[in-house]
């Protein structure tokens, strides 16, 4: 019984990580729960988790709801999901550093497009901070997910 519970918690950990990071929304440190995009990216593209894609789309939509961006993050996730389908050109499951640089390109392009929509110094500074903070937290969050989920 105890082994089944541990296995269930390990299998559910990526889902729980997304929910927790989305719920821990704080204006400066985690606006609109945007840090949930880290496990969404990692568990969708780098270490694909079964049945995670519909869950990721739902939470991208919930991030959009809190950010008041209509369906921006959901659309960007779907576009990257479609681009990722071309596995003959690149394979994110074999990239080193948990695909940190790929995540930085994904998140950087998405954030830059948002800045272009409402261009001013305040938004530019906020986007720079958000990019730096999210990129810094990518490594520890993905290492934790990798340790818990892959330790079966």
């Amino acid at each position: 019984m105890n082994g089944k519970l541990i296995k269930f918690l390990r299998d559910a950990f990526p889902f729980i990580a997304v929910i927790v990071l989305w719920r821990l929304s704080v204006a400066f440190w985690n606006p609109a729960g945007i840090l949930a995009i880290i496990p969404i990216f990692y568990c969708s593209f780098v270490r694909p988790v079964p049945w995670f894609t519909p869950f990721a789309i739902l939470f991208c939509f919930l991030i959009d709801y809190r950010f008041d961006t209509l369906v921006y993050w959901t659309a960007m996730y779907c576009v990257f999901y479609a681009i990722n389908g071309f596995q003959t050109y690149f394979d994110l499951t074999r990239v080193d550093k948990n695909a940190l640089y790929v995540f930085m390109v994904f998140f950087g392009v998405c954030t830059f497009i948002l800045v272009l929509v409402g261009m001013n110094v305040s938004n530019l500074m906020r986007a720079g901070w958000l990019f730096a903070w999210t990129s810094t937290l990518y490594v520890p969050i993905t290492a934790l997910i990798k340790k818990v989920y892959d330790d079966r």
Side-chain angles (χ1 to χ4, degrees), residues 2-126:
N2 194 17
K4 288 182 181 180
L5 179 64
I6 297 296
K7 183 185 178 326
F8 171 76
L9 289 175
R10 283 188 177 149
D11 290 343
F13 186 75
F15 300 93
I16 294 169
V18 170
I19 294 170
V20 167
L21 287 172
W22 181 74
R23 278 299 287 154
L24 291 176
S25 176
V26 179
F28 184 73
W29 299 105
N30 187 12
I34 193 65
L35 290 180
I37 205 79
I38 295 171
I40 287 172
F41 180 87
Y42 182 73
C43 295
S44 294
F45 305 118
V46 182
R47 295 267 183 192
V49 173
W51 296 98
F52 195 79
T53 302
F55 183 78
I57 291 171
L58 171 68
F59 270 87
C60 284
F61 180 75
L62 291 174
I63 291 170
D64 282 325
Y65 175 74
R66 279 199 177 160
F67 248 130
D68 201 22
T69 53
L70 204 52
V71 291
Y72 179 74
W73 288 103
T74 308
M76 294 307 278
Y77 173 81
C78 290
V79 164
F80 198 81
Y81 193 84
I83 292 170
N84 190 46
F86 298 110
Q87 289 289 333
T88 56
Y89 297 110
F90 53 89
D91 188 8
L92 294 182
T93 60
R94 300 186 197 285
V95 177
D96 59 341
K97 296 184 184 178
N98 294 337
L100 171 65
Y101 300 126
V102 178
F103 174 77
M104 290 172 72
V105 168
F106 165 73
F107 194 75
V109 167
C110 295
T111 307
F112 182 69
I113 292 171
L114 277 178
V115 168
L116 289 179
V117 171
M119 186 64 153
N120 62 31
V121 175
S122 176
N123 284 345
L124 188 62
M125 297 298 283
R126 190 174 301 122

